[in-house]
Amino acid sequence: AASDVYKRQIEDLPETYLQWIQNEGAGYFLHSKIDTIEPTRFGLDYTLLNGIAGLEQGNWMSVLDDCFSPENTGLPNYFIPFFKDESVYYCFDYLEKGKEPSIRLIDIEMDQWLTIASSFEELINSMKPNIELISSDLASLISLRAFS
């Protein structure tokens, strides 16, 4: 079944991600800007990964939440999303089995499927400060929308 494949992959999340969650915790990123090779809804040559889901379910997004399951995302079951920003998912891509998953941005509305890093470690190392600082009103709006 699709959900079995999905569960196996969740048990096989990259060590670098598990260490990040253990050391830094889930939540919002201060450095959210990632250069891209093509335009995204966030910018001409970058995307914004504003946060990361953890493992524990409850007060913050978890990779185990129903909203990330293939049944709800409509994505193939070899993608494990770890953040959602409106119609954009950031996912571990397990299409090539036996390798550390690459990182994909998938924008459902724009039908954009873009590899943004070859590994989670590369993703973390590529993140830059986003200069356009967000007002506190917008930040609270974003945090509300992240869960809807």
Side-chain angles (χ1 to χ4, degrees):
S3 57
D4 293 344
V5 174
Y6 189 74
K7 285 191 184 100
R8 261 202 310 281
Q9 286 166 174
I10 284 190
E11 289 165 12
D12 194 31
L13 288 168
E15 193 60 38
T16 46
Y17 165 79
L18 298 173
Q19 284 172 349
W20 176 272
I21 294 301
Q22 196 176 340
N23 298 334
E24 306 290 330
Y28 286 111
F29 285 135
L30 286 172
H31 294 182
S32 61
K33 191 172 187 177
I34 300 163
D35 292 337
T36 56
I37 56 168
E38 61 185 60
T40 69
R41 72 167 59 233
F42 301 100
L44 287 175
D45 58 358
Y46 67 90
T47 187
L48 298 176
L49 171 56
N50 290 312
I52 189 167
L55 293 168
E56 288 178 31
Q57 291 180 282
N59 54 2
W60 176 252
M61 278 182 244
S62 164
V63 291
L64 305 171
D65 288 346
D66 285 346
C67 69
F68 287 142
S69 74
E71 294 78 17
N72 288 315
T73 63
L75 297 173
N77 64 9
Y78 51 82
F79 289 116
I80 304 281
F82 58 85
F83 194 70
K84 180 179 194 283
D85 197 335
E86 294 189 20
S87 69
V88 178
Y89 291 93
Y90 293 89
C91 306
F92 296 110
D93 179 354
Y94 281 91
L95 182 59
E96 293 185 44
K97 292 171 181 57
K99 279 181 60 184
E100 176 152 348
S102 58
I103 308 299
R104 293 278 286 266
L105 172 161
I106 301 170
D107 188 330
I108 305 284
E109 264 176 25
M110 311 287 277
D111 195 28
Q112 181 175 38
W113 302 60
L114 178 64
T115 300
I116 55 172
S118 63
S119 67
F120 185 75
E121 188 171 14
E122 184 185 290
L123 177 79
I124 293 298
N125 292 335
S126 70
M127 296 176 84
K128 303 173 176 172
N130 179 26
I131 309 305
E132 303 101 61
L133 289 172
I134 308 176
S135 73
S136 59
D137 290 350
L138 187 58
S140 60
L141 182 68
I142 290 170
S143 63
L144 290 173
R145 291 230 308 272
F147 295 103
S148 57

